[in-house]
Amino acid sequence: MIQYCKITIVIVVALLSIHAHAAPPIKSVKGEYTYYGDKSTSPAECKRLALEGARLDALAKEFGTIVTQDIMQADRIDSNGESNKFLSLSSTEVKGEWIADDGEPEYVISLDKDDNFVVNCVIKGKAREISNEASEFDARVLRNGSGPQFASSEFHDGDNLYLYFSAPIDGFVSVFLSLEDGNVYQMIPYLNDSNNDVKIKKGKSYIFFDPNKTEYDFGTPDQFGITTDGVIEFNKIYVLFSPLYFARPPMQIHADTGLPSMKESDFSKWLVKARRNDPKLGLKQMNLKIYPK
């Protein structure tokens, strides 16, 4: 878990443009994929791979593919009360991007003649054709160090978390945490940022959540530590960046954390609209795996 004010949270970065722009339309898509496991693949991993394959199938059918190789990373899946995320799948690159799930994935699980798991997954969602207008940027989650060399997707209980960010153009960035409690929490702008926006200068490197990095005019850095209740847990980070100013989603102060928050389902709807309105809005999603001591 990522902990702030003794409450576990997850990260997301988001910006919303106030200008209307022509962007690729967001479409409803549906995909299906069957993953055939082996003795080394757990049921949870089979479900995760099946889900990723179904998403790729939906994107490929709607938008086509590019003859190249890419690494795809899966979203979270719940299986019998266990949280399982983190999978990498080498696949043909698709010419579309997944925006959000539309409901829960549907699974049919069976065993083959050798008692290996066979998982069929059907998923519906929102997606759009990849636009070349989105701005490139570099965002990395850092473990126990304030430099890009500390980038990691795996954390342990007691670690500190920082975020590295750099972009080739001026723009705006905002960070949120998505918890398994069904809420999304704003992490950037910082709580005491009087400007209530984070404007990035091109070519400059930024370290967020480090109390020693206060040279930026973003207010006093909020700090985030890692904690787990004795089991492996998974958090997700989303980073959105655009050269255009974003109005953030309407959030209420959470009673326990003191952070602005909203339901994850409402945040997903807002994110779809934000990306529809601003074709220059770039998104980077990062998953974190957290181990107990």
Side-chain angles (χ1 to χ4, degrees):
M1 300 179 182
I2 301 172
Q3 186 181 53
Y4 175 78
C5 297
K6 300 183 179 179
I7 296 295
T8 300
I9 45 193
V10 173
I11 302 177
V12 181
V13 180
L15 315 230
L16 178 60
S17 170
I18 59 175
H19 304 287
H21 298 272
I26 293 178
K27 298 184 178 182
S28 295
V29 297
K30 180 179 179 180
E32 182 175 4
Y33 184 79
T34 299
Y35 180 79
Y36 297 87
D38 55 31
K39 299 300 183 184
S40 65
T41 312
S42 70
E45 290 173 321
C46 291
K47 288 181 67 176
R48 189 183 315 152
L49 287 163
L51 173 61
E52 187 63 20
R55 285 185 177 142
L56 290 170
D57 175 65
L59 294 173
K61 287 191 297 188
E62 183 67 36
F63 306 111
T65 61
I66 302 171
V67 183
T68 184
Q69 292 295 307
D70 195 12
I71 299 299
M72 308 299 293
Q73 198 169 39
D75 261 338
R76 88 180 271 272
I77 310 169
D78 288 333
S79 171
N80 298 324
E82 297 180 359
S83 295
N84 300 286
K85 311 172 189 165
F86 277 95
L87 97 100
S88 292
L89 178 65
S90 180
S91 64
T92 300
E93 186 178 355
V94 292
K95 296 192 290 185
E97 58 180 346
W98 195 264
I99 301 296
D101 292 350
D102 186 2
E104 295 294 324
E106 298 177 2
Y107 297 100
V108 176
I109 303 174
S110 59
L111 297 174
D112 65 13
K113 61 182 179 64
D114 297 318
D115 290 331
N116 296 314
F117 282 97
V118 178
V119 181
N120 175 266
C121 178
V122 176
I123 185 67
K124 296 179 181 179
K126 303 294 184 183
R128 72 177 177 189
E129 189 174 6
I130 291 176
S131 168
N132 291 327
E133 296 184 55
S135 302
E136 294 291 335
F137 61 88
D138 187 3
R140 311 181 202 181
V141 179
L142 310 178
R143 176 188 173 209
N144 293 334
S146 56
Q149 69 271 24
F150 293 98
S152 179
S153 62
E154 297 188 350
F155 285 73
H156 293 80
D157 188 278
D159 286 341
N160 292 317
L161 181 146
Y162 309 102
L163 180 70
Y164 170 86
F165 187 90
S166 181
I169 59 174
D170 293 349
F172 296 86
V173 66
S174 179
V175 181
F176 297 83
L177 269 92
S178 173
L179 278 187
E180 294 186 3
D181 64 0
N183 294 314
V184 170
Y185 300 84
Q186 178 181 299
M187 297 181 71
I188 289 182
Y190 295 140
L191 282 173
N192 69 344
D193 184 353
S194 59
N195 295 325
N196 203 33
D197 63 41
V198 177
K199 189 171 184 179
I200 300 299
K201 297 294 185 182
K202 66 178 181 180
K204 188 175 180 64
S205 296
Y206 296 86
I207 303 294
F208 293 105
F209 315 128
D210 185 346
N212 297 316
K213 303 293 183 180
T214 58
E215 66 269 29
Y216 320 126
D217 188 24
F218 302 149
T220 302
D222 297 319
Q223 299 177 57
F224 293 85
I226 299 298
T227 141
T228 177
D229 293 329
V231 295
I232 295 177
E233 300 185 16
F234 299 86
N235 290 336
K236 188 189 296 181
I237 297 179
Y238 299 86
V239 179
L240 288 123
F241 170 78
S242 174
L244 305 172
Y245 172 75
F246 272 79
R248 282 169 300 282
M251 291 185 159
Q252 303 294 323
I253 297 298
H254 192 273
D256 294 329
T257 66
L259 294 172
S261 70
M262 68 190 305
K263 292 295 183 182
E264 187 170 11
S265 57
D266 293 332
F267 182 83
S268 295
K269 293 176 183 177
W270 171 84
L271 187 56
V272 170
K273 292 179 181 178
R275 301 189 71 192
R276 179 189 293 124
N277 292 336
D278 183 3
K280 296 183 182 296
L281 176 59
L283 168 66
K284 183 171 185 179
Q285 173 182 316
M286 294 171 281
N287 294 313
L288 305 182
K289 188 173 185 179
I290 300 170
Y291 296 92
K293 289 183 178 179

